[in-house]
Amino acid sequence: MSKKKRIVIALGGNALGNTLPEQMAAVKITARAIVDLIEEGCEVVVAHGNGPQVGMINNAMLALTHEDEKQPNTPLSVCVAMSQAYIGYDLQNALREELLNRGITDIPVATMITQVRVDENDPAFENPSKPIGRFLTKEQADEMAEKYNYIMKEDAGRGYRRVVASPKPQEIVEIGTIRNMVNAGELVIACGGGGIPVTLQGNHLKGASAVIDKDFASCLMAKNLDADFLIILTAVEKVAVNYGKPDEKWIDHMTVEEAKQYMEEGHFAPGSMLPKVQAAVDFAESKPGRQALITLLEKAKDGINGVTGTRISL
């Protein structure tokens, strides 16, 4: 029997919805696409974003401090942990149900609350740029900055938002447990929202006021698990150069060198497609035979079979 392809899937926000009811509906569709890959003979590990969810949790915790002055503010790292648990809860239940609906009874599903170590000296901490939470007036923003020492920035004329650092992931703390679970045949959900950002202080892991890009964390996890494929799911079927222009060109395959050239030429938007291509290149060049795929959620199965999507390899 041939060895199963090991795949790490990085789910984009569109796979999870923006509210609790939307998420419960979205994960059913997401589960079908993931179980399709399992039926194709793949061993799957799931990572996901948490943009809307962690913002919602952060706002709720903030509202609590306004209602009760004795309530301390909830650190962002704790909000990320909360988002991992509640997204994992919906996702693992949807996956379990979909597996059982197809008569697959031997694959347990579990969510791993995952900490990811970042470097406290990462330059990203000097220039926080990742907006989180709701838009505020200048007066509200000044109050937040004074009360909680938040860094607040004006956002394109729409108001003020808190900004935090987005450092690069250095180590997945629970990777040994994740690896054991995957090797035992479990379907594991890990590194949710890029992981809970922590810094190492002696033997103590201290939560950091940051968010980690889920594509970079997924890439690190895929390398650590010796995966064959990293699939980054997004809102488009393929990657394009000259996107939105008359000479727009959709790409089926890029070598690592071609992808690097396109990045240098500025074809991919920062904060959008650029980190996805960067993560894909990082994984594809990490070991011969490894490939990355960028495509739509519902096209993941076709992408693995070479029918669609943008594939990146050496």
Short mmCIF file of all heavy atoms in Angstrom, two decimals, residues 4-11 29-46 95 98-99 102 104 107 187 229-233 293 295-306 311:
data_model
loop_
_atom_site.label_atom_id
_atom_site.label_comp_id
_atom_site.label_asym_id
_atom_site.label_seq_id
_atom_site.Cartn_x
_atom_site.Cartn_y
_atom_site.Cartn_z
N LYS A 4 0.39 7.38 2.50
CA LYS A 4 -0.56 8.48 2.32
C LYS A 4 0.18 9.80 2.21
O LYS A 4 1.20 10.02 2.86
CB LYS A 4 -1.50 8.56 3.54
CG LYS A 4 -2.53 7.46 3.61
CD LYS A 4 -3.46 7.71 4.79
CE LYS A 4 -4.57 6.66 4.83
NZ LYS A 4 -5.50 6.92 5.95
N LYS A 5 -0.34 10.71 1.35
CA LYS A 5 0.20 12.06 1.30
C LYS A 5 -0.19 12.78 2.58
O LYS A 5 -1.35 12.76 2.99
CB LYS A 5 -0.41 12.83 0.12
CG LYS A 5 0.15 12.50 -1.23
CD LYS A 5 -0.28 13.56 -2.23
CE LYS A 5 0.21 13.25 -3.63
NZ LYS A 5 -0.81 12.66 -4.48
N ARG A 6 0.79 13.41 3.23
CA ARG A 6 0.51 14.19 4.43
C ARG A 6 0.34 15.66 4.03
O ARG A 6 1.23 16.24 3.41
CB ARG A 6 1.62 14.03 5.47
CG ARG A 6 1.37 14.82 6.74
CD ARG A 6 2.36 14.48 7.85
NE ARG A 6 2.09 13.15 8.40
CZ ARG A 6 2.77 12.63 9.43
NH1 ARG A 6 3.76 13.33 9.99
NH2 ARG A 6 2.48 11.43 9.90
N ILE A 7 -0.80 16.21 4.39
CA ILE A 7 -1.16 17.56 3.95
C ILE A 7 -1.47 18.45 5.15
O ILE A 7 -2.22 18.04 6.04
CB ILE A 7 -2.40 17.52 3.04
CG1 ILE A 7 -2.09 16.77 1.75
CG2 ILE A 7 -2.92 18.91 2.72
CD1 ILE A 7 -3.30 16.51 0.89
N VAL A 8 -0.90 19.64 5.17
CA VAL A 8 -1.33 20.67 6.13
C VAL A 8 -2.17 21.68 5.37
O VAL A 8 -1.73 22.22 4.35
CB VAL A 8 -0.13 21.36 6.81
CG1 VAL A 8 -0.59 22.57 7.62
CG2 VAL A 8 0.60 20.37 7.72
N ILE A 9 -3.40 21.89 5.84
CA ILE A 9 -4.31 22.84 5.21
C ILE A 9 -4.40 24.10 6.07
O ILE A 9 -4.66 24.01 7.27
CB ILE A 9 -5.72 22.24 5.07
CG1 ILE A 9 -5.72 21.08 4.10
CG2 ILE A 9 -6.72 23.29 4.61
CD1 ILE A 9 -7.09 20.44 3.92
N ALA A 10 -4.18 25.25 5.46
CA ALA A 10 -4.36 26.53 6.14
C ALA A 10 -5.67 27.15 5.66
O ALA A 10 -5.77 27.61 4.52
CB ALA A 10 -3.19 27.46 5.83
N LEU A 11 -6.68 27.11 6.52
CA LEU A 11 -8.00 27.63 6.16
C LEU A 11 -8.04 29.15 6.28
O LEU A 11 -7.65 29.70 7.32
CB LEU A 11 -9.08 27.05 7.08
CG LEU A 11 -9.32 25.54 7.03
CD1 LEU A 11 -10.32 25.15 8.11
CD2 LEU A 11 -9.83 25.12 5.67
N ILE A 29 -19.51 23.12 5.35
CA ILE A 29 -18.97 23.13 3.98
C ILE A 29 -17.47 22.82 4.02
O ILE A 29 -16.95 22.05 3.22
CB ILE A 29 -19.24 24.50 3.32
CG1 ILE A 29 -20.75 24.75 3.21
CG2 ILE A 29 -18.58 24.59 1.94
CD1 ILE A 29 -21.13 26.18 2.94
N THR A 30 -16.80 23.44 4.98
CA THR A 30 -15.36 23.23 5.15
C THR A 30 -15.06 21.76 5.43
O THR A 30 -14.14 21.18 4.86
CB THR A 30 -14.84 24.11 6.30
OG1 THR A 30 -15.09 25.48 5.98
CG2 THR A 30 -13.35 23.91 6.53
N ALA A 31 -15.86 21.16 6.31
CA ALA A 31 -15.66 19.74 6.67
C ALA A 31 -15.79 18.83 5.45
O ALA A 31 -15.02 17.88 5.29
CB ALA A 31 -16.65 19.34 7.75
N ARG A 32 -16.75 19.14 4.57
CA ARG A 32 -16.94 18.31 3.38
C ARG A 32 -15.69 18.34 2.50
O ARG A 32 -15.25 17.31 1.99
CB ARG A 32 -18.17 18.76 2.59
CG ARG A 32 -19.48 18.39 3.27
CD ARG A 32 -20.66 18.43 2.30
NE ARG A 32 -21.05 19.78 1.93
CZ ARG A 32 -21.93 20.52 2.62
NH1 ARG A 32 -22.49 20.05 3.72
NH2 ARG A 32 -22.24 21.73 2.20
N ALA A 33 -15.12 19.54 2.33
CA ALA A 33 -13.92 19.68 1.48
C ALA A 33 -12.72 18.94 2.09
O ALA A 33 -11.93 18.31 1.37
CB ALA A 33 -13.58 21.15 1.30
N ILE A 34 -12.60 18.98 3.42
CA ILE A 34 -11.47 18.31 4.09
C ILE A 34 -11.63 16.80 4.02
O ILE A 34 -10.68 16.06 3.73
CB ILE A 34 -11.35 18.80 5.55
CG1 ILE A 34 -10.89 20.28 5.57
CG2 ILE A 34 -10.36 17.93 6.34
CD1 ILE A 34 -10.98 20.94 6.93
N VAL A 35 -12.85 16.31 4.25
CA VAL A 35 -13.07 14.86 4.22
C VAL A 35 -12.96 14.32 2.79
O VAL A 35 -12.56 13.18 2.58
CB VAL A 35 -14.42 14.49 4.88
CG1 VAL A 35 -14.69 12.99 4.79
CG2 VAL A 35 -14.41 14.91 6.36
N ASP A 36 -13.24 15.15 1.79
CA ASP A 36 -12.97 14.77 0.40
C ASP A 36 -11.50 14.37 0.23
O ASP A 36 -11.18 13.38 -0.44
CB ASP A 36 -13.26 15.93 -0.57
CG ASP A 36 -14.74 16.09 -0.89
OD1 ASP A 36 -15.53 15.18 -0.56
OD2 ASP A 36 -15.11 17.15 -1.46
N LEU A 37 -10.61 15.15 0.84
CA LEU A 37 -9.17 14.86 0.74
C LEU A 37 -8.81 13.58 1.47
O LEU A 37 -7.96 12.80 1.00
CB LEU A 37 -8.36 16.03 1.31
CG LEU A 37 -8.41 17.35 0.52
CD1 LEU A 37 -7.71 18.46 1.29
CD2 LEU A 37 -7.75 17.19 -0.85
N ILE A 38 -9.45 13.35 2.60
CA ILE A 38 -9.20 12.10 3.35
C ILE A 38 -9.64 10.90 2.52
O ILE A 38 -8.95 9.88 2.47
CB ILE A 38 -9.92 12.16 4.72
CG1 ILE A 38 -9.23 13.22 5.61
CG2 ILE A 38 -9.92 10.80 5.41
CD1 ILE A 38 -9.97 13.56 6.88
N GLU A 39 -10.79 11.04 1.85
CA GLU A 39 -11.26 9.95 0.98
C GLU A 39 -10.33 9.72 -0.22
O GLU A 39 -10.31 8.63 -0.79
CB GLU A 39 -12.69 10.23 0.49
CG GLU A 39 -13.74 9.99 1.55
CD GLU A 39 -15.15 9.93 1.00
OE1 GLU A 39 -15.44 10.67 0.02
OE2 GLU A 39 -15.97 9.19 1.54
N GLU A 40 -9.57 10.76 -0.57
CA GLU A 40 -8.58 10.61 -1.66
C GLU A 40 -7.31 9.92 -1.18
O GLU A 40 -6.37 9.73 -1.94
CB GLU A 40 -8.21 12.00 -2.21
CG GLU A 40 -9.27 12.67 -3.05
CD GLU A 40 -9.45 12.02 -4.41
OE1 GLU A 40 -8.52 12.02 -5.22
OE2 GLU A 40 -10.56 11.49 -4.64
N GLY A 41 -7.28 9.58 0.10
CA GLY A 41 -6.12 8.88 0.65
C GLY A 41 -5.09 9.79 1.29
O GLY A 41 -3.93 9.40 1.46
N CYS A 42 -5.50 11.00 1.65
CA CYS A 42 -4.57 11.95 2.27
C CYS A 42 -4.69 11.93 3.79
O CYS A 42 -5.75 11.66 4.35
CB CYS A 42 -4.85 13.37 1.78
SG CYS A 42 -4.66 13.59 0.00
N GLU A 43 -3.58 12.23 4.44
CA GLU A 43 -3.53 12.40 5.90
C GLU A 43 -3.52 13.91 6.14
O GLU A 43 -2.62 14.60 5.67
CB GLU A 43 -2.22 11.76 6.38
CG GLU A 43 -2.07 11.54 7.84
CD GLU A 43 -0.75 10.84 8.13
OE1 GLU A 43 0.32 11.41 7.83
OE2 GLU A 43 -0.79 9.71 8.63
N VAL A 44 -4.54 14.43 6.81
CA VAL A 44 -4.76 15.87 6.85
C VAL A 44 -4.56 16.45 8.25
O VAL A 44 -5.02 15.88 9.24
CB VAL A 44 -6.17 16.21 6.35
CG1 VAL A 44 -6.42 17.71 6.40
CG2 VAL A 44 -6.38 15.71 4.92
N VAL A 45 -3.87 17.59 8.31
CA VAL A 45 -3.75 18.40 9.52
C VAL A 45 -4.32 19.77 9.17
O VAL A 45 -4.04 20.30 8.09
CB VAL A 45 -2.27 18.54 9.97
CG1 VAL A 45 -2.18 19.28 11.29
CG2 VAL A 45 -1.61 17.17 10.06
N VAL A 46 -5.10 20.34 10.08
CA VAL A 46 -5.82 21.58 9.77
C VAL A 46 -5.32 22.74 10.64
O VAL A 46 -5.24 22.62 11.86
CB VAL A 46 -7.35 21.40 10.00
CG1 VAL A 46 -8.09 22.70 9.66
CG2 VAL A 46 -7.89 20.25 9.16
N LEU A 95 -16.31 18.07 11.42
CA LEU A 95 -15.46 17.04 10.78
C LEU A 95 -15.84 15.64 11.25
O LEU A 95 -15.94 14.71 10.45
CB LEU A 95 -13.98 17.31 11.09
CG LEU A 95 -13.35 18.47 10.32
CD1 LEU A 95 -12.05 18.89 10.96
CD2 LEU A 95 -13.13 18.08 8.86
N GLU A 98 -19.10 14.67 9.56
CA GLU A 98 -18.92 14.38 8.13
C GLU A 98 -18.22 13.03 7.92
O GLU A 98 -18.60 12.26 7.03
CB GLU A 98 -18.12 15.50 7.47
CG GLU A 98 -17.98 15.41 5.96
CD GLU A 98 -19.31 15.52 5.21
OE1 GLU A 98 -20.25 16.17 5.73
OE2 GLU A 98 -19.41 14.96 4.10
N LEU A 99 -17.23 12.73 8.75
CA LEU A 99 -16.55 11.43 8.66
C LEU A 99 -17.54 10.29 8.91
O LEU A 99 -17.59 9.32 8.15
CB LEU A 99 -15.41 11.37 9.69
CG LEU A 99 -14.15 12.18 9.36
CD1 LEU A 99 -13.29 12.34 10.61
CD2 LEU A 99 -13.33 11.55 8.25
N ARG A 102 -19.97 9.49 6.17
CA ARG A 102 -19.39 8.75 5.04
C ARG A 102 -18.89 7.36 5.46
O ARG A 102 -18.19 6.69 4.70
CB ARG A 102 -18.25 9.56 4.43
CG ARG A 102 -18.68 10.92 3.93
CD ARG A 102 -17.65 11.52 3.00
NE ARG A 102 -17.84 12.97 2.86
CZ ARG A 102 -17.15 13.72 2.01
NH1 ARG A 102 -16.25 13.16 1.22
NH2 ARG A 102 -17.36 15.02 1.95
N ILE A 104 -16.75 6.64 7.81
CA ILE A 104 -15.36 6.60 8.28
C ILE A 104 -15.40 6.70 9.81
O ILE A 104 -15.69 7.75 10.37
CB ILE A 104 -14.52 7.75 7.67
CG1 ILE A 104 -14.57 7.68 6.14
CG2 ILE A 104 -13.08 7.70 8.18
CD1 ILE A 104 -13.99 8.89 5.44
N ILE A 107 -11.15 7.50 12.46
CA ILE A 107 -10.29 8.70 12.50
C ILE A 107 -10.81 9.64 13.60
O ILE A 107 -11.79 10.37 13.39
CB ILE A 107 -10.25 9.43 11.14
CG1 ILE A 107 -9.70 8.50 10.05
CG2 ILE A 107 -9.40 10.70 11.24
CD1 ILE A 107 -9.62 9.13 8.67
N LEU A 187 -7.08 13.15 13.13
CA LEU A 187 -7.25 14.38 12.35
C LEU A 187 -7.12 15.54 13.34
O LEU A 187 -7.98 15.73 14.20
CB LEU A 187 -8.62 14.38 11.68
CG LEU A 187 -9.11 15.64 10.95
CD1 LEU A 187 -8.05 16.23 10.04
CD2 LEU A 187 -10.37 15.33 10.17
N PHE A 229 2.54 18.23 1.31
CA PHE A 229 1.84 19.37 0.72
C PHE A 229 1.47 20.38 1.79
O PHE A 229 1.08 20.01 2.90
CB PHE A 229 0.51 18.90 0.09
CG PHE A 229 0.57 18.65 -1.39
CD1 PHE A 229 0.82 17.38 -1.87
CD2 PHE A 229 0.36 19.68 -2.30
CE1 PHE A 229 0.86 17.12 -3.23
CE2 PHE A 229 0.39 19.43 -3.67
CZ PHE A 229 0.65 18.16 -4.14
N LEU A 230 1.59 21.64 1.44
CA LEU A 230 0.97 22.73 2.21
C LEU A 230 -0.09 23.33 1.30
O LEU A 230 0.21 23.80 0.20
CB LEU A 230 2.00 23.80 2.59
CG LEU A 230 1.44 25.10 3.19
CD1 LEU A 230 0.76 24.84 4.54
CD2 LEU A 230 2.55 26.15 3.35
N ILE A 231 -1.35 23.28 1.74
CA ILE A 231 -2.43 23.87 0.94
C ILE A 231 -2.90 25.13 1.65
O ILE A 231 -3.36 25.08 2.80
CB ILE A 231 -3.62 22.90 0.77
CG1 ILE A 231 -3.18 21.59 0.17
CG2 ILE A 231 -4.70 23.55 -0.10
CD1 ILE A 231 -4.32 20.60 -0.05
N ILE A 232 -2.79 26.26 0.97
CA ILE A 232 -3.25 27.54 1.51
C ILE A 232 -4.53 27.90 0.78
O ILE A 232 -4.53 28.14 -0.43
CB ILE A 232 -2.17 28.62 1.35
CG1 ILE A 232 -0.92 28.23 2.15
CG2 ILE A 232 -2.70 29.98 1.82
CD1 ILE A 232 0.26 29.17 1.97
N LEU A 233 -5.63 27.88 1.53
CA LEU A 233 -6.94 28.13 0.93
C LEU A 233 -7.30 29.61 1.08
O LEU A 233 -7.16 30.19 2.15
CB LEU A 233 -7.99 27.25 1.59
CG LEU A 233 -7.72 25.75 1.43
CD1 LEU A 233 -8.73 24.92 2.21
CD2 LEU A 233 -7.72 25.33 -0.03
N LEU A 293 0.27 24.53 -2.54
CA LEU A 293 -0.86 24.77 -3.43
C LEU A 293 -1.69 25.91 -2.86
O LEU A 293 -1.99 25.93 -1.66
CB LEU A 293 -1.71 23.50 -3.52
CG LEU A 293 -3.01 23.58 -4.32
CD1 LEU A 293 -2.71 23.66 -5.82
CD2 LEU A 293 -3.88 22.35 -4.03
N THR A 295 -5.34 27.76 -3.49
CA THR A 295 -6.59 27.64 -4.25
C THR A 295 -7.79 27.92 -3.35
O THR A 295 -7.65 28.25 -2.17
CB THR A 295 -6.71 26.25 -4.92
OG1 THR A 295 -7.76 26.29 -5.88
CG2 THR A 295 -6.97 25.15 -3.91
N LEU A 296 -8.99 27.75 -3.91
CA LEU A 296 -10.24 27.88 -3.17
C LEU A 296 -10.50 26.64 -2.32
O LEU A 296 -10.09 25.53 -2.71
CB LEU A 296 -11.42 28.01 -4.16
CG LEU A 296 -11.65 29.34 -4.86
CD1 LEU A 296 -12.63 29.14 -6.01
CD2 LEU A 296 -12.22 30.37 -3.88
N LEU A 297 -11.22 26.82 -1.23
CA LEU A 297 -11.59 25.70 -0.37
C LEU A 297 -12.26 24.58 -1.16
O LEU A 297 -11.85 23.42 -1.08
CB LEU A 297 -12.54 26.20 0.74
CG LEU A 297 -13.23 25.13 1.57
CD1 LEU A 297 -12.23 24.40 2.46
CD2 LEU A 297 -14.35 25.75 2.42
N GLU A 298 -13.29 24.94 -1.94
CA GLU A 298 -14.06 23.91 -2.64
C GLU A 298 -13.29 23.27 -3.80
O GLU A 298 -13.74 22.27 -4.38
CB GLU A 298 -15.40 24.47 -3.14
CG GLU A 298 -15.29 25.69 -4.02
CD GLU A 298 -15.35 27.00 -3.24
OE1 GLU A 298 -14.91 27.03 -2.07
OE2 GLU A 298 -15.82 27.99 -3.81
N LYS A 299 -12.10 23.81 -4.11
CA LYS A 299 -11.28 23.24 -5.19
C LYS A 299 -10.07 22.47 -4.66
O LYS A 299 -9.20 22.06 -5.43
CB LYS A 299 -10.77 24.38 -6.11
CG LYS A 299 -11.88 25.17 -6.81
CD LYS A 299 -12.53 24.37 -7.91
CE LYS A 299 -13.54 25.21 -8.68
NZ LYS A 299 -14.15 24.46 -9.77
N ALA A 300 -10.02 22.26 -3.33
CA ALA A 300 -8.84 21.61 -2.74
C ALA A 300 -8.59 20.22 -3.32
O ALA A 300 -7.45 19.87 -3.65
CB ALA A 300 -9.00 21.54 -1.22
N LYS A 301 -9.65 19.44 -3.46
CA LYS A 301 -9.50 18.07 -4.00
C LYS A 301 -8.99 18.13 -5.45
O LYS A 301 -8.06 17.40 -5.82
CB LYS A 301 -10.85 17.35 -3.93
CG LYS A 301 -10.87 15.97 -4.54
CD LYS A 301 -12.26 15.36 -4.41
CE LYS A 301 -12.43 14.12 -5.25
NZ LYS A 301 -13.80 13.57 -5.16
N ASP A 302 -9.59 19.00 -6.27
CA ASP A 302 -9.13 19.15 -7.66
C ASP A 302 -7.69 19.64 -7.70
O ASP A 302 -6.90 19.22 -8.56
CB ASP A 302 -10.02 20.13 -8.42
CG ASP A 302 -11.40 19.56 -8.75
OD1 ASP A 302 -11.53 18.32 -8.69
OD2 ASP A 302 -12.32 20.35 -9.05
N GLY A 303 -7.34 20.52 -6.77
CA GLY A 303 -5.97 21.05 -6.72
C GLY A 303 -4.95 19.97 -6.44
O GLY A 303 -3.90 19.89 -7.10
N ILE A 304 -5.24 19.11 -5.46
CA ILE A 304 -4.34 18.00 -5.13
C ILE A 304 -4.17 17.06 -6.32
O ILE A 304 -3.10 16.50 -6.56
CB ILE A 304 -4.88 17.24 -3.90
CG1 ILE A 304 -4.50 18.00 -2.63
CG2 ILE A 304 -4.36 15.83 -3.81
CD1 ILE A 304 -3.00 18.04 -2.34
N ASN A 305 -5.24 16.91 -7.11
CA ASN A 305 -5.19 16.04 -8.30
C ASN A 305 -4.65 16.75 -9.55
O ASN A 305 -4.68 16.19 -10.64
CB ASN A 305 -6.58 15.47 -8.58
CG ASN A 305 -7.00 14.45 -7.52
OD1 ASN A 305 -6.17 13.71 -7.02
ND2 ASN A 305 -8.28 14.42 -7.17
N GLY A 306 -4.17 17.99 -9.36
CA GLY A 306 -3.53 18.71 -10.46
C GLY A 306 -4.45 19.34 -11.47
O GLY A 306 -4.04 19.75 -12.55
N ARG A 311 0.25 25.76 -8.16
CA ARG A 311 1.18 24.87 -7.47
C ARG A 311 2.57 25.51 -7.47
O ARG A 311 3.00 26.05 -8.50
CB ARG A 311 1.21 23.52 -8.18
CG ARG A 311 1.69 22.38 -7.34
CD ARG A 311 1.50 21.06 -8.07
NE ARG A 311 0.14 20.56 -7.99
CZ ARG A 311 -0.17 19.30 -7.68
NH1 ARG A 311 0.80 18.45 -7.39
NH2 ARG A 311 -1.41 18.90 -7.64
#
